[in-house]
Amino acid sequence: MHDQLFIDGRWQAPTKPATIDVYDPYRETAYHTVAAGGAEDVIKAAAAAKRAFPAWKNLGGQGRAVYLRAIASELRSRAEELARLSSRNNGKPIAEARIDLSDAANTYEYYAEQAVALEDKQNSAVAVPDSAFASRLRLEPTGVVGLIVPWNFPLVTTAWKVAPALAAGCTIVLKPSEITPIVELEMGAIAQRVNLPPGVLNIVTGTGLDVGAPMTTHPDLAKISFTGSNAVGARVMAAAAAGVKSVGLELGGKSPIVVCADADLDQAVECITGGIFFNAGQMCSATSRLLLAREIADEVMQRVIAAARALRPGDPLDEATTLGPMTMKAQYDKVLGYIERGKAEGLRLVTGGGRYEGMNHGWFIAPTIFTDVPVTSALWREEIFGPVLCTRTFETEEEAVVLANDCDFGLVATVMSSDVTRANRIADAIDAGHVWINSPQVIFVETSWGGFKASGIGRELGPWGLSAYLEVKHTTTRL
Ligand code: NAD
């Protein structure tokens, strides 16, 4: 496990010696320390990225694709080892960590192809209505970019930013979450292994205040792409405003899952439980508001409660574990706080409701469900980011859509109905960046990721993810 900063192609100690403890959430113990970087290290990393930028940009898409494919190949060849590193630090069951590795590798492969396609598009002629002129298009990298990521899907959230930024020709200062830096630092080792030119990818570990904030004001960072909470996202945007920096924001969610009376109930139970209990509910895309057609509500709820109780807490590295602990103590306390608030509000608790009983250690929360939750409740309106499901019933499709959209966020949604026309009608009416119909939350790298309303600004993945790191430039010549 690495513990230093990765700057200019080398492992380096932070300018001011300081460390951060890294925790194992299953054992509740610190098991490693990493460097606590500071503003001086951001300056060093940005300078290295700036030096590396011209050559990386001029390498062209074909040349950059070679490195992206090599990164994907490294991730695949080390997948099991990296999944285990991630599982231990994050607390996610090993099977879920393996999915992360595969998603990350797919992302680098996809953007390798996008880099090649980008090269093919350069200097394409643009039709103009006056034959005395000719115009051509170039798509140029934004420059040195600052990427700030959270702790719930390490390596994946990172890949969604690093891969398109590299494909576009940008060079990078990456700040992993201080909670889950272990597997993110392996990207430095991978960069060395694939001989990525020094300075193209720099990784500075540290806190949000010591590393993240100086990134948002550094004059040489042309863009900040941030994934995290709304509170910090707003701060990032305000700080970036002073330097007129471009920002991409992937923020929170409080997403609905609408289950119509004609839904396949086996599929509905699978999608409801997966949508809220995967990664112990620590997902921006958690479908934490369940809207059930009244006719089927009792039956579905009984089955969902049974599925929730069947989840097996345990050592995340044990293949039999299906429910991990919260990744950090602060999140554990926050989720318990919401549960207590729900009880104090008099909400109807049908399962769970606190720490997972019988677990001697680990920040485990029992999968929790409140029913008939009023729309005014904080539990209905605010992102909890844990295994807490709130439910309501609806009578008509129109009512379901109104309830689904009555929310500050608009990240994702799920619709369950055996009538595909109806499901699509509901999907089209919901304000969300990605809607699944009768499907678990599959995310194809070809489709977009990002939200309406307070869920953020911009889109990741697909060609939109690449555009986020490109400037559009036309050159027009009088003939
Ligand atoms: P967070 O906002 O606390 O931290 C995110 C990152 O920002 C961390 O690396 C942190 O160190 C850094 N940071 C903190 N203060 C900063 C500052 N002042 N300036 C710059 N950087 C700063 O979020 P978190 O608790 O790590 O993650 C959970 C949140 O992330 C949830 O709200 C979740 O919905 C959101 N999230 C969104 C998506 C998405 O794609 N929309 C994906 C994953 C997580």
Side-chain angles (χ1 to χ4, degrees):
M1 290 186 287
H2 295 276
D3 55 10
Q4 291 191 310
L5 311 177
F6 184 72
I7 298 176
D8 213 7
R10 289 184 297 115
W11 295 103
Q12 304 188 16
T15 310
K16 290 183 186 157
T19 57
I20 294 177
D21 287 338
V22 182
Y23 280 81
D24 171 334
Y26 174 61
R27 294 176 179 80
E28 299 183 28
T29 51
Y31 70 109
H32 191 58
T33 55
V34 295
E40 308 79 0
D41 303 305
V42 170
I43 291 168
K44 275 190 197 167
K50 190 176 178 182
R51 282 193 299 275
F53 177 67
W56 185 246
K57 171 186 167 183
N58 292 329
L59 186 58
Q62 304 269 10
R64 294 192 294 267
V66 173
Y67 290 98
L68 285 157
R69 287 193 204 104
I71 293 172
S73 164
E74 277 296 306
L75 287 169
R76 289 206 195 282
S77 66
R78 295 182 57 197
E80 185 59 23
E81 173 210 346
L82 296 177
R84 295 180 77 81
L85 282 180
S86 178
S87 174
R88 179 157 190 212
N89 185 187
N90 181 281
K92 63 176 70 198
I94 183 69
E96 296 184 17
R98 289 186 187 120
I99 297 173
D100 287 2
L101 257 297
S102 156
D103 285 352
N106 288 345
T107 307
Y108 287 97
E109 275 159 7
Y110 172 78
Y111 282 107
E113 300 319 308
Q114 290 286 314
V116 173
L118 174 67
E119 188 68 15
D120 294 342
K121 272 187 241 159
Q122 295 296 19
N123 299 316
S124 54
V126 178
V128 290
D130 187 333
S131 59
F133 295 87
S135 193
R136 67 186 166 90
L137 167 70
R138 289 186 64 78
L139 296 167
E140 300 205 340
T142 301
V144 180
V145 293
L147 312 180
I148 303 177
V149 295
W151 45 265
N152 56 340
F153 289 96
L155 276 193
V156 179
T157 317
T158 308
W160 291 8
K161 298 183 190 301
V162 171
L166 291 181
C170 295
T171 55
I172 296 169
V173 178
L174 167 69
K175 182 209 155 334
S177 166
E178 58 272 41
I179 310 299
T180 52
I182 302 279
V183 78
E184 305 273 31
L185 281 170
E186 291 300 323
M187 287 306 298
I190 289 174
Q192 282 184 324
R193 174 115 173 120
V194 305
N195 294 318
L196 196 68
V200 170
L201 173 65
N202 305 278
I203 308 174
V204 185
T205 50
T207 66
L209 284 183
D210 291 341
V211 176
M215 286 170 66
T216 60
T217 52
H218 193 294
D220 290 337
L221 299 193
K223 172 176 180 131
I224 300 290
S225 177
F226 170 85
T227 299
S229 64
N230 281 64
V232 177
R235 252 177 268 151
V236 166
M237 196 172 169
V244 198
K245 281 188 205 314
S246 162
V247 289
L249 300 176
E250 296 291 340
L251 307 177
K254 187 76 187 178
S255 299
I257 173 164
V258 177
V259 184
C260 300
D262 60 358
D264 176 311
L265 297 194
D266 289 338
Q267 283 186 1
V269 172
E270 176 203 356
C271 294
I272 293 165
T273 49
I276 187 65
F277 300 133
F278 191 84
N279 204 24
Q282 300 169 116
M283 294 183 287
C284 52
S285 61
T287 37
S288 50
R289 293 185 298 136
L290 170 60
L291 294 163
L292 281 173
R294 189 175 295 281
E295 305 90 296
I296 54 161
D298 287 346
E299 183 182 351
V300 171
M301 197 40 65
Q302 288 319 310
R303 293 175 62 175
V304 171
I305 291 168
R309 289 181 182 159
L311 290 169
R312 188 173 153 176
D315 185 341
L317 287 165
D318 181 341
E319 300 285 344
T321 297
T322 50
L323 180 74
M326 297 286 101
T327 302
M328 57 173 171
K329 175 74 164 53
Q331 190 61 23
Y332 171 79
D333 290 339
K334 180 180 163 200
V335 177
L336 286 181
Y338 270 108
I339 292 173
E340 288 313 311
R341 196 164 164 185
K343 291 177 185 168
E345 282 181 18
L347 303 186
R348 209 173 138 236
L349 176 69
V350 292
T351 193
R355 180 178 171 76
Y356 205 110
E357 283 182 20
M359 297 303 292
N360 298 329
H361 57 82
W363 297 311
F364 286 95
I365 292 188
T368 295
I369 304 177
F370 290 102
T371 58
D372 306 318
V373 180
V375 296
T376 50
S377 167
L379 276 77
W380 186 261
R381 307 208 75 82
E382 296 174 17
E383 181 180 53
I384 298 175
F385 222 59
V388 181
L389 180 65
C390 292
T391 78
R392 289 184 63 84
T393 56
F394 66 87
E395 303 282 349
T396 64
E397 186 181 314
E398 292 71 25
E399 186 191 2
V401 168
V402 169
L403 283 166
N405 282 338
D406 178 20
C407 181
D408 293 338
F409 299 102
L411 189 58
V412 303
T414 302
V415 182
M416 310 292 306
S417 169
S418 53
D419 177 343
V420 176
T421 306
R422 170 201 263 199
N424 276 289
R425 192 167 58 229
I426 297 174
D428 291 352
I430 293 179
D431 303 327
H434 202 126
V435 185
W436 291 280
I437 293 179
N438 299 331
S439 167
Q441 297 194 0
V442 283
I443 301 171
F444 296 105
V445 69
E446 292 79 5
T447 61
S448 72
W449 190 260
F452 285 33
K453 302 196 267 188
S455 286
I457 295 176
R459 291 292 181 275
E460 294 191 322
L461 296 182
W464 308 275
L466 185 68
S467 301
Y469 297 99
L470 290 170
E471 295 292 337
V472 178
K473 175 173 171 184
H474 285 97
T475 301
T476 299
T477 307
R478 187 168 65 184
L479 300 172

